[in-house]
Amino acid sequence: MSVVALIEFDPASGAATGHRLADADAALLRVTDLGATRGDGVFETASLVHGHVQALEAHLERLVQSARMLELPQPDPAVWRAAVLAVGDALTAEGVDEGSIKFVLTRGVEGGSVPTGWVFGTAAPDFTADRTSGVRLVLLDRGFRHDVSQTSPWLLAGAKTLSYAMNRAALREAARRGADDVLFVSSDGYLLEGPTSTLVLRTGPRLITPRVDLGILAGTTQADLFAWAEAAGFPTGYELLTPADLAAADAAWLVSSVRHVAPVRAVEGVERAIDAELTERFNEALDARTA
Ligand code: PLP
């Protein structure tokens, strides 16, 4: 069960004017679309749980921020919000209780001046095993220093672009090494993020995550988790972290919109304890979000 909404643009000004639902099985994209031919665009993936699109405002803000970094026409949050909510409602009406909603903005067809935008919603994969048994990580060098976003902004570190081929290649490398997921490390040795997730560590009562000025995405799930954690009495912080901090942490998780919270059960083949009780509390708190 999938649902698509196309964003409509005014051909003269390129401004978004609204959306219309479209047939998810129809051909909807031109072969010269720069999103397809060059990965020249940005996207977001939000989760739909029990009828609610979660962290929608944070996803819209990040879409705007990524578009700004790529110098794309600024997406109008009102138009995108309405399209995402329409897709969420249609999925919910079809009985989808846990879904994923991906929204994409590209530079449009080559030679044109109008962007392309769409929203695609579908049922979420079953992540129960990742959420309960956990994931085995390998640490992979991303090849950029931790200050890449200051030294080389054209590398677009920290923008959620459509160019995810490297992220997929890293996951295949993890599989070759007998692991499930990846934690990228900067070339000068700092922990960054997963190809589709944010790292969270617990040291005593404190939850910490890598600083977002390291050219990584500001995770919407991690932000909601930290808001919940602060209210529940866990101090939180953003830090420069190294593999030694990961090894010394009491618990570690990868967190992201659709999978939510997956405990880390091994790093580089070394098994580590998972905090099953806290993982369950985290996932329950995230599931209970209504916005
Ligand atoms: N980092 C990267 C590179 C990602 O692709 C994602 C999500 O896909 C995240 C972090 C986690 O972000 P969020 O919690 O907003 O899904």
Side-chain angles (χ1 to χ4, degrees):
M1 167 68 217
S2 302
V3 178
V4 172
L6 298 178
I7 305 296
E8 298 178 309
F9 294 94
D10 176 42
S13 67
T17 53
H19 72 269
R20 68 182 163 84
L21 293 177
D23 177 356
D25 293 318
L28 299 170
L29 196 65
R30 299 276 295 270
V31 296
T32 49
D33 194 285
L34 291 164
T37 58
R38 291 192 179 149
D40 194 357
V42 297
F43 78 104
E44 285 295 321
T45 304
S47 67
L48 173 78
V49 179
H50 313 323
H52 302 285
V53 181
Q54 299 184 318
L56 177 54
E57 294 311 311
H59 283 290
L60 292 171
E61 262 175 47
R62 200 169 60 189
L63 185 77
V64 168
Q65 167 67 10
S66 296
R68 188 176 298 126
M69 290 172 76
L70 270 72
E71 299 172 71
L72 287 166
Q74 284 301 287
D76 178 347
V79 170
W80 286 85
R81 183 182 299 113
V84 172
L85 290 174
V87 168
D89 286 348
L91 281 177
T92 304
E94 292 289 338
V96 172
D97 191 44
E98 284 200 43
S100 80
I101 303 182
K102 181 169 184 172
F103 29 125
V104 180
L105 171 69
T106 87
R107 206 174 297 279
V109 295
E110 194 143 11
S113 56
V114 180
T116 303
W118 70 87
V119 180
F120 174 77
T122 194
D126 182 358
F127 283 122
T128 312
D130 285 10
R131 289 175 189 166
T132 52
S133 311
V135 290
R136 295 162 299 173
L137 290 193
V138 286
L139 306 184
L140 294 184
D141 180 6
R142 190 177 244 176
F144 296 157
R145 278 203 323 254
H146 76 283
D147 55 354
V148 63
S149 57
Q150 289 89 56
T151 61
S152 320
W154 50 87
L155 292 177
L156 300 176
K160 196 163 166 68
T161 79
L162 290 172
S163 308
Y164 260 45
M166 278 194 291
N167 301 39
R168 308 307 294 176
L171 289 170
R172 291 194 296 276
E173 179 62 23
R176 266 193 293 278
R177 298 185 188 191
D180 311 299
D181 215 321
V182 172
L183 180 62
F184 286 123
V185 180
S186 67
S187 59
D188 50 352
Y190 296 103
L191 303 180
L192 298 173
E193 62 187 344
T196 63
S197 58
T198 309
L199 176 72
V200 173
L201 302 182
R202 178 175 72 74
T203 304
R206 193 154 177 268
L207 300 181
I208 45 180
T209 193
R211 284 176 5 202
V212 293
D213 62 345
L214 306 182
I216 62 176
L217 288 190
T220 65
T221 316
Q222 167 270 318
D224 279 351
L225 185 65
F226 275 23
W228 173 86
E230 287 281 342
F234 299 92
T236 63
Y238 295 79
E239 290 185 6
L240 265 183
L241 298 166
T242 64
D245 295 314
L246 171 59
D250 295 314
W253 298 268
L254 291 184
V255 312
S256 54
S257 290
V258 182
R259 189 169 63 177
H260 292 174
V261 175
V264 176
R265 56 172 267 226
V267 178
E268 298 284 314
V270 179
E271 297 284 327
R272 49 178 301 144
I274 66 171
D275 186 339
E277 193 215 316
L278 195 52
T279 304
E280 200 177 328
R281 283 180 73 192
F282 284 170
N283 275 316
E284 277 170 12
L286 291 173
D287 266 355
R289 288 174 295 170
T290 56

